[in-house]
Amino acid sequence: MRLPRSTSAAFKARAGLPVSTPGSPPIRHLRYYVIFLFFFASIISYIDRQTLSVNASHIRAEMGLSNSQYGYLVTAFLIAYTIFMTPGGWLIDRRGPWFALVVMGFGSALFGALTGLVGMSALISAGSMFAALLAIRTLMGMFT
């Protein structure tokens, strides 16, 4: 949200922005809090991108995935990640960075948890386990 240069304290209060009154100290720590949140979000995004490659040998052995199937999983994640950068930017422009970070954070956490649950589910057969993992990794790329 872009504010005009002559923004009054009453307008800031209605908009939910922090207000520094003449008797109170200026709000300087807010800048570092926002930087910390963005830094933390980028660390989580990096971890989401790397989680599958760290345990690749164990995952391939446990689920019976070939090297090409593993390559499809990684590629599906990266293609969805690349394609959805533009809609993610649009979401940030339309709804604001706070909303976009919340949606992306909850989405990547949900699909990160579902990635781990695919191997534990007794309801999924070995043949459809790859399809479920492919769908979950693609959706995770959309939200990361």
Side-chain angles (χ1 to χ4, degrees):
M1 180 163 111
R2 191 164 185 214
L3 300 175
R5 288 186 186 264
S6 62
T7 305
S8 68
F11 177 78
K12 286 182 179 179
R14 283 193 312 269
L17 299 172
V19 179
S20 179
T21 57
S24 67
I27 304 170
R28 296 175 192 222
H29 67 281
L30 184 64
R31 167 185 341 169
Y32 300 111
Y33 179 70
V34 171
I35 290 171
F36 171 76
L37 285 178
F38 281 128
F39 179 71
F40 187 69
S42 66
I43 287 174
I44 290 174
S45 177
Y46 176 76
I47 290 171
D48 285 344
R49 288 191 303 266
Q50 302 301 322
T51 53
L52 200 63
S53 64
V54 171
N55 291 321
S57 60
H58 299 292
I59 291 171
R60 281 187 289 170
E62 185 176 320
M63 295 188 177
L65 299 175
S66 66
N67 287 336
S68 62
Q69 286 177 323
Y70 174 74
Y72 289 140
L73 291 176
V74 173
T75 303
F77 176 84
L78 292 175
I79 287 174
Y81 179 75
T82 303
I83 289 173
F84 278 86
M85 282 186 182
T86 301
W90 177 83
L91 180 68
I92 290 170
D93 286 342
R94 297 289 178 215
R95 300 293 301 252
W98 183 257
F99 178 80
L101 281 174
V102 168
V103 168
M104 292 174 194
F106 281 122
S108 65
L110 172 70
F111 293 114
L114 288 177
T115 301
L117 291 176
V118 168
M120 297 173 59
S121 178
L123 301 175
I124 299 176
S125 66
S128 61
M129 196 174 292
F130 170 70
L133 194 57
L134 185 67
I136 289 171
R137 289 300 291 181
T138 302
L139 290 169
M140 187 171 182
M142 292 167 62
F143 282 94
T144 301

